[in-house]
Amino acid sequence: MILCELCRLQAPDQTCSRGNSIPKKMKCTDFTPGLERFCATPGDYAGRDQVYQMAMFFGLKGKELKRVQTM
């Protein structure tokens, strides 16, 4: 998994709409998480703690994790 898969800025052709290269680690200055990227079906959303646990599982830390929490 790459960070771009959880970001709203990812274009349909798997590139960043802001022109950023795909990060090698789970860090990006323009990371913009989207709930639809974590839960494909809105009915799957069980709450804030679920998304936080998923973000931790995927290896998000620091600023990226804080952005997920405020989402």
Side-chain angles (χ1 to χ4, degrees):
M1 167 159 276
I2 59 172
L3 184 63
C4 300
E5 293 175 18
L6 302 172
C7 184
R8 289 182 179 172
L9 300 176
Q10 185 182 34
D13 62 351
Q14 308 300 320
T15 60
C16 181
S17 61
R18 295 227 175 133
N20 296 334
S21 59
I22 295 177
K24 295 182 190 229
K25 296 184 179 185
M26 295 295 263
K27 292 186 176 237
C28 180
T29 56
D30 293 326
F31 176 62
T32 308
L35 184 59
E36 69 279 357
R37 301 294 182 143
F38 284 91
C39 300
T41 328
D44 291 343
Y45 179 68
R48 184 177 179 182
D49 291 336
Q50 173 198 22
V51 175
Y52 179 79
Q53 289 173 355
M54 291 172 72
M56 292 290 292
F57 176 79
F58 294 136
L60 294 179
K61 299 177 186 171
K63 291 179 187 175
E64 289 76 16
L65 184 58
K66 287 180 183 176
R67 290 178 185 164
V68 169
Q69 286 178 309
T70 59
M71 169 180 66

